[in-house]
Amino acid sequence: MNRIYTIITLSLFLILVACDNNSLPSQISSLKITNKNLQSIVEQMNSDESVSNENKELFINAISRFGDVQDSIVGKTVGEIIVEQEKYVSDRIAEALVNTGARVNLFINHRFQYLGIKFIDSIPTQKKNNLVFTLQNTSDKVIKHLEGILQFYTPAGELIKVFSISTNLEMPVSDSLVTLAMPFEHNDNIPRDMLIRTSTDLKAVWTPILIVFADNTKIEDIATKNAISGW
């Protein structure tokens, strides 16, 4: 949940920066950028006390974002650059708001608790790690499908292993916990697989991605889902 609070805090900071933006003086706003005058424009903005820090920050972030692509800033005015950056920030805020809402909504509609791993080594050439965990439906509707990832980190924060969890077990609204076990293949020749079995201080972090209810409505964290597909 700490990651959720970090995202919310960052989003609120960006909103405050965007909303607190003062109007830009016309003599600065109309300055057109060439491939030779950027430094003098920066000096003018810096020495003009009527230029707000918010506008300076927007301009800095814009030229930093596009500075290596000449056509992105050359020929545009300072005002145009700042307006484009404001829209960029606004779009990122809107995206963060939607993604954060989905993440929080996923967490408040169920509970997940990792219990541990049971080793299934009865067939030496087909060893498995059986992840054991509990689920509870804390929503007001029956859950028919749930997906997420269980990530294992070292105390130093290094990601060791990611397991994709998916279940079609129908879970009614209840105060009771459902205990599940999900097997995954284990390979002694993969160091990270061995760390899962031998390390005693790994931290398991659950991240839900999708909940589908019995009425076919769903909650989905598309941003995390897309990020995972690129791993």
Side-chain angles (χ1 to χ4, degrees):
M1 292 295 287
N2 287 337
R3 289 175 295 172
I4 291 175
Y5 298 140
T6 300
I7 294 169
I8 293 173
T9 301
L10 177 59
S11 300
L12 290 174
F13 171 76
L14 291 174
I15 290 171
L16 290 172
V17 168
C19 292
D20 194 39
N21 180 33
N22 300 321
S23 60
L24 189 66
S26 59
Q27 69 271 21
I28 297 293
S29 178
S30 61
L31 292 173
K32 184 171 288 188
I33 299 171
T34 71
N35 60 355
K36 297 179 180 179
N37 69 350
L38 182 58
Q39 185 60 38
S40 64
I41 287 176
V42 170
E43 290 173 358
Q44 283 182 260
M45 293 181 69
N46 198 39
S47 61
D48 192 330
E49 294 183 357
S50 63
V51 180
S52 68
N53 287 333
E54 289 75 25
N55 275 321
K56 291 176 183 177
E57 183 174 6
L58 286 167
F59 188 75
I60 290 168
N61 290 337
I63 63 175
S64 297
R65 190 160 60 92
F66 289 129
D68 58 345
V69 183
Q70 189 182 64
D71 293 342
S72 298
I73 59 174
V74 171
K76 294 180 180 178
T77 65
V78 171
E80 288 171 339
I81 292 291
I82 289 177
V83 167
E84 288 182 9
Q85 184 64 18
E86 283 180 319
K87 185 180 185 306
Y88 176 82
V89 171
S90 178
D91 289 346
R92 300 292 79 73
I93 289 171
E95 182 181 344
L97 183 60
V98 170
N99 294 337
T100 301
R103 289 188 188 106
V104 174
N105 204 17
L106 282 165
F107 275 105
I108 64 178
N109 277 279
H110 82 292
R111 287 197 182 95
F112 177 100
Q113 183 180 6
Y114 170 68
L115 299 181
I117 298 179
K118 292 184 177 179
F119 307 140
I120 303 176
D121 296 342
S122 52
I123 303 177
T125 57
Q126 299 178 20
K127 293 182 178 180
K128 295 185 183 299
N129 293 327
N130 214 23
L131 301 187
V132 184
F133 54 91
T134 63
L135 290 171
Q136 180 188 356
N137 181 356
T138 58
S139 72
D140 58 357
K141 296 186 287 187
V142 173
I143 293 175
K144 69 175 185 179
H145 180 74
L146 184 145
E147 294 178 19
I149 54 173
L150 189 61
Q151 299 167 287
F152 286 85
Y153 292 87
T154 66
E158 180 187 1
L159 179 62
I160 297 300
K161 192 80 175 179
V162 180
F163 294 97
S164 294
I165 304 291
S166 179
T167 176
N168 291 319
L169 176 68
E170 189 171 280
M171 291 180 285
V173 180
S174 175
D175 291 332
S176 62
L177 302 177
V178 177
T179 302
L180 298 175
M182 194 164 292
F184 293 87
E185 292 185 2
H186 170 80
N187 189 333
D188 285 339
N189 296 318
I190 299 177
R192 289 178 182 270
D193 275 21
M194 291 302 297
L195 282 173
I196 289 294
R197 288 195 166 202
T198 58
S199 298
T200 59
D201 55 358
L202 296 181
K203 180 181 180 181
V205 177
W206 166 247
T207 303
I209 297 172
L210 172 68
I211 289 178
V212 181
F213 298 99
D215 62 1
N216 288 323
T217 59
K218 66 180 181 180
I219 308 169
E220 187 173 20
D221 180 356
I222 296 176
T224 299
K225 184 176 182 179
N226 289 340
I228 292 171
S229 66
W231 290 358

